[in-house]
Structures are given as C-alpha cells and as structure tokens.
Amino acid sequence: MAWKLMSLLLLLAWAATTCSARDRSDLLNVCMDAKHHKTKPGPEDKLHDQCSPWRKNACCSVNTSQELHKDTSRLYNFNWDHCGKMEPACKRHFIQDTCLYECSPNLGPWIQQVDQSWRKERFLDVPLCKEDCQHWWEDCRTSFTCKSNWHKGWEWTSGVNKCPAGTTCRTFESYFPSPAALCEGLWSHSYKVSNYSRGSARCIQMWFDPAQGNPNEEVAKFYAEAMNTGAMPHGTGALLLSLALTLQLPG
C-alpha cells in the first residue's frame, strides 16, 4: 500500500512543480530542437552499435549514431579522454547517454526551452532508473576527469575541450562522490536519479532490449498524462514530494 501512495504523491508533486516545460502540446513521440536531432522521429534501420535499440523509431540519423561512438566526435568536438584514456567500461555509459540524448523520442515531458547558440531545447530532470545511474558510477569511479560539470567551463581554444587552468585530473569518485553526484551534476541536472527500478514504468532506462519493446514509451505516457491533468495550488507539489520521500519502496 505504501508504494502505491508514494507513486501517487510523486506523480502529483512532479506535475505541480513542472512549470517551464515545452510550450507545445506534443509531449509524446517527439524530437528536441537541438543541433543534430531530426525534426520528427522515424525508423533508422542501420543505427550504429549502442544506438541500435532506437532503430525502430529514432530522433537521430545513422551518421549521428556513428559519430557519437568516436573518442572525439565531430558532433561536439568533445574528447572523453581529456585526462588520459577513459576505461572502456566507463566510456560505454557515456556513449549510451549520448545515444539516449540524440535518439530517444520519449523525452517530451522533460524538454525545456533554452537560449543557446547550438540548441533551442534541452531536457531537464529526466527520472533516470536508479540501476542505470549506479552502474554508470561504479564503472567510471576509477577513470579520471578534471571537472564535476561537463556542460561548461572547458578550455576550447584548440577546438577540442581541454581541462581549464587550475584544475587537476583526479578519479571520478573524487569529483562525483556518489551516483547521484555523477548523474545529476555531470550535465547540469539533465537527469534526476529516480527511486524506481528498471521495468517499473516510472523511470527512463538508458539500456533496454529492443526485442522486448521500448519501455520508455510507457514512462513518457505516464508523465505526459500527469502534465496534462495535474493542476494544484502553488507549493502543494513540494509538500507532496516531501511526504512521498518519507515512504519506502518495497524491497
């Protein structure tokens, strides 16, 4: 019973506190207005490697899926190996994160308008399944970086990101002492670590088996319905969220 109450409270709180979301009513099966995204999602039968789960319906092109697997991709000239060679087990999470960002048509409820030269929209506080965040952190804790926020503050004079003056290359665990610190801080709160697990239909999965369908479709529908129906007095959402967080999910 407690988990049902928690689910309801979290849903109502999320709906009440979402205020600057996408103005358009199309929250489902949509692509962001960003640098490399397609205008509309559709089939891409030859998506490369880790992006292949989205081949039936994708916001990314084949070329984008190929480029983002490179160590220094032409998509953003971003070098994962800015503090020496990133461990392969770690890098695969960053590739999967980028595949989700570029390819997923199921992020509409979290799309926000931004005033940036290279994109007009981003996603914010996507509820990432707790296992996906935990594994990302575990596989990257011994790799090295020099920053805790990768969205800004790099040295770009060479055309590729480099560590800014005064920073020191240390382990990920030094800059990100917990899974939440990594997943939420890395890209300026693109993600919010969920209390829910993979398969719950309440959190977005980076990893999924396309043979079983895309589980994020159901998640997007759940939150889109909350946005379309949720309306309550100012401050109620914060109260409900506080109440929800005092409850425990079943083991």
Side-chain angles (χ1 to χ4, degrees):
M1 188 68 182
W3 72 267
K4 291 182 178 179
L5 178 58
M6 180 177 182
S7 178
L8 175 61
L9 291 174
L10 283 172
L11 175 60
L12 293 174
W14 179 86
T17 54
T18 300
C19 55
S20 58
R22 202 175 206 200
D23 289 336
R24 300 198 295 255
S25 60
D26 52 340
L27 298 177
L28 300 177
N29 196 38
V30 293
C31 300
M32 283 188 292
D33 187 352
K35 189 173 183 180
H36 300 291
H37 289 69
K38 293 160 48 177
T39 304
K40 295 181 179 180
E44 294 287 348
D45 294 339
K46 297 182 179 180
L47 289 185
H48 185 60
D49 198 4
Q50 289 183 223
C51 294
S52 62
W54 287 274
R55 62 182 179 272
K56 290 184 179 180
N57 193 35
C59 288
C60 60
S61 66
V62 173
N63 181 66
T64 295
S65 73
Q66 292 171 336
E67 275 294 318
L68 67 82
H69 282 76
K70 298 178 180 179
D71 287 344
T72 303
S73 168
R74 289 180 297 177
L75 296 179
Y76 303 103
N77 292 327
F78 195 93
N79 180 19
W80 305 120
D81 301 328
H82 51 269
C83 277
K85 194 71 174 176
M86 180 182 283
E87 294 178 11
C90 176
K91 188 171 294 182
R92 65 193 292 269
H93 291 277
F94 282 93
I95 292 172
Q96 198 69 16
D97 163 49
T98 310
C99 285
L100 178 70
Y101 173 82
E102 299 288 351
C103 302
S104 178
N106 307 123
L107 302 173
W110 303 278
I111 291 176
Q112 307 279 320
Q113 294 182 348
V114 292
D115 183 16
Q116 296 176 328
S117 61
W118 56 283
R119 62 180 181 180
K120 295 181 179 179
E121 292 179 328
R122 63 165 295 189
F123 60 72
L124 184 69
D125 291 332
V126 169
L128 183 65
C129 294
K130 61 182 181 181
E131 297 93 340
D132 284 6
C133 181
Q134 180 71 33
H135 295 156
W136 190 355
W137 183 77
E138 289 175 353
D139 287 343
C140 289
R141 60 194 302 179
T142 57
S143 287
F144 287 80
T145 186
C146 57
K147 284 172 49 57
S148 58
N149 186 330
W150 288 16
H151 250 161
K152 55 187 178 182
W154 296 99
E155 171 57 63
W156 286 100
T157 54
S158 66
V160 176
N161 64 300
K162 292 185 178 180
C163 294
T167 59
T168 303
C169 288
R170 300 196 300 266
T171 63
F172 267 58
E173 193 169 13
S174 297
Y175 282 99
F176 307 107
S178 68
L182 171 65
C183 300
E184 296 178 5
L186 184 74
W187 301 123
S188 298
H189 300 283
S190 288
Y191 298 112
K192 179 72 174 177
V193 182
S194 175
N195 288 324
Y196 286 97
S197 297
R198 297 165 56 81
S200 66
R202 297 294 180 266
C203 60
I204 292 291
Q205 296 182 201
M206 276 191 188
W207 309 82
F208 61 89
D209 179 3
Q212 304 299 318
N214 185 340
N216 296 330
E217 292 178 0
E218 186 176 352
V219 179
K221 288 178 182 178
F222 175 79
Y223 286 98
E225 289 175 2
M227 288 189 67
N228 290 332
T229 61
M232 58 193 72
H234 178 73
T236 307
L239 174 60
L240 289 172
L241 182 60
S242 297
L243 289 171
L245 292 176
T246 66
L247 299 176
Q248 295 292 320
L249 284 171

